[in-house]
Amino acid sequence: MTLPGLARRTAAYLPRLEDALRRCYPVALACANWRIPIFRLQGITRAGCPGTVLVAGQEPWVNYLPSCFFSTVTARELLEVTPIWLAGRSIERLGPSADLTVMRVDRISSALLFRDDYLAVPAWVKMVLPVPKNPLDLARGNHSLQGDLRLIKRGNLQAQVTREDSSFTFFYESLYVPFVRRRHAELAFVRDAYWLRRRCQKGGILWITCAGERIAGMLFEERRRVLYLWAEGVLDGDPKLVKRGAISALHFNIIDYACRQGCHSVDFGAVRPCLGDGLLRYKHKWGMTITQKRDNYYDFLVRWNEWNKSVAAFFLETPVLYRSSNGLSALTSVVADNPATEADGVRAHRLFWTDGVERLSIVSPSGWEQNIRAPAHTWLLDCPSPGTTVQIRGLIGRLENLG
C-alpha cells in the first residue's frame, strides 16, 4: 500500500478512535492521578482577616477556588502525598485546622470515594445560546449589549468566514495561543493544533477585520444544526483589541451566521463554575444558558467546618455552581449584622440568577426576617451557629429531598 493510501485509510478511522479514547479517558485519569498532594495555605482572606485553606490536588489546576478565598497568601506547607482512596481519611484528620477545604479530583473518584458533605463543584460548565430569529433582538432592553453593538459599528469591524486550511496556522499561532495565554496565565489550556484543525474542517473560521486586517478570529464546527465554538482570539492577544469590541464582534457575527445557516443553537464553550465570573457574566448578557459540560472530567469538592466571616465572604464573592439532584444549583451569601430582609434576597437573586440554574441558595449568617417571600427558584437559608461542625451541604441535601 502506498503512503498516501495508508494515510487516507488511517484518517478514516480517526473519528472512531477519538470516540474510543473519549470513553476511556475518565478511567485513565482515575488511574493516573491515584496519588494527590495535600497542602495548607495561609494568608489574608477577602474578608480582611487571617484564614487557612486545606488544598488537595495537582497544582496549578487546584488553585482556582483557593485563589478566590485569599487576597494574599503568606504561607504554603506541603503536608503529605497520599493515595486518593485514603485522602478522605487525611482530610478528616487535617480539616479541622482550616476554614475551608478544597479538593480537585476526577469525576469517578469523586462519585465513589467521597461523602455527601462536600459540595461537588464541576471544574467547568458550558454556556449555550438558542439561536434567535434576529440577532438584534438580543439587544432590546439590554443597555450593555446596545453599547457593544455601537462599539462594533463605530470601529467599522467587519466579518467574513473562511474554510480554507491555509488560514488555520495564522489563526492558531498569531491569535488563539497568545490570547489564551494572556487571559489565563498559568491556568491556560491550549488545545492541540491537530485536534482543532479537524474541527475546522467541519466548519471554518469567522474573522473580524478592520481596514482589511484580520484582528480577531473564532474557529467553529457545524454539526447537526449546532455550532460548536472551539477557539477564539485576537491578534497577538492584544487586550486593546478586546476593548475596541473585537470579541463582541465575534459573538454577534457568529450568532448572525448561525441564524443564516438555520442552526438551532450555538455552544459557546466552557466557563468557570462561579456566577460572579467575568466571562460567565459577559456570556450571560447575550442570553446564554448554563448547562453541564459532558466532557468535564474533574470536580472541586468543597467543605467547611463553620460558617465564619471568611467563609461567608468567600461565597459572597464566589457564588459557586454545584451538582444538585436535577442539574446545577448555586450557593451564595449575604453579609448583614441583623436578620436579612426580603430586599436582600431579591438583590442577591437579581445579581446572580442565571438561566440554567436549578436553585439559588442564599445563606444569611444572621438569619432572615420572619414571613418574607423568597424569589423564584431560591432558598433563603440560615447558617449553622458559630463553632458548630454542621455541614450546610447536608441542609441543602434535605431541602432537595423535600423539593
Side-chain angles (χ1 to χ4, degrees), residues 35 41 102 128 227 243 289 291 297 352 362:
R35 290 178 65 84
L41 297 179
V102 177
V128 177
L227 282 191
K243 292 181 179 180
T289 297
T291 185
Y297 300 113
F352 292 126
I362 307 174

Side-chain angles (χ1 to χ4, degrees), residues 157-298:
L157 303 181
Q158 305 296 320
Q160 62 175 174
V161 173
T162 63
R163 299 179 184 273
E164 71 271 14
D165 192 63
S166 59
S167 61
F168 174 82
T169 301
F170 171 71
F171 167 80
Y172 188 83
E173 296 180 354
S174 300
L175 283 79
Y176 168 62
V177 173
F179 178 71
V180 169
R181 287 182 173 163
R182 182 184 290 268
R183 170 178 278 186
H184 299 292
E186 68 171 357
L187 295 179
F189 172 72
V190 179
R191 292 188 181 276
D192 177 72
Y194 176 76
W195 188 89
L196 279 179
R197 191 186 293 272
R198 286 183 57 79
R199 307 282 82 75
C200 187
Q201 290 170 355
K202 299 177 183 179
I205 299 175
L206 171 74
W207 300 95
I208 298 300
T209 64
C210 182
E213 181 185 17
R214 290 174 172 176
I215 64 168
M218 177 179 282
L219 186 149
F220 65 90
E221 176 186 9
E222 187 173 348
R223 189 169 70 241
R224 297 176 183 174
R225 296 182 62 207
V226 178
L227 282 191
Y228 295 88
L229 309 184
W230 295 117
E232 66 182 16
V234 298
L235 187 62
D236 299 325
D238 188 351
K240 294 180 181 178
L241 294 176
V242 177
K243 292 181 179 180
R244 286 171 52 188
I247 296 297
S248 296
L250 284 173
H251 286 184
F252 175 78
N253 283 284
I254 200 66
I255 295 169
D256 181 63
Y257 176 81
C259 185
R260 289 186 281 108
Q261 291 293 109
C263 295
H264 60 72
S265 63
V266 182
D267 185 331
F268 274 83
V271 292
R272 284 297 190 180
C274 170
L275 294 180
D277 178 75
L279 182 58
L280 186 151
R281 302 312 303 170
Y282 173 79
K283 290 186 175 184
H284 177 248
K285 78 176 183 180
W286 288 87
M288 301 178 203
T289 297
I290 291 175
T291 185
Q292 300 204 54
K293 193 172 185 294
R294 189 177 63 175
D295 58 347
N296 168 65
Y297 300 113
Y298 284 93

Side-chain angles (χ1 to χ4, degrees), residues 41 46 55 58-70 102 104 121-124 184 186-187 271-278 280 300 314 317-321:
L41 297 179
R46 298 294 177 94
V55 181
Q58 299 295 332
E59 293 185 294
W61 316 113
V62 74
N63 292 337
Y64 169 66
L65 288 179
S67 69
C68 298
F69 185 82
F70 291 107
V102 177
R104 180 182 179 269
V121 178
W124 298 94
H184 299 292
E186 68 171 357
L187 295 179
V271 292
R272 284 297 190 180
C274 170
L275 294 180
D277 178 75
L280 186 151
F300 292 108
F314 169 74
E317 299 288 338
T318 314
V320 296
L321 291 158

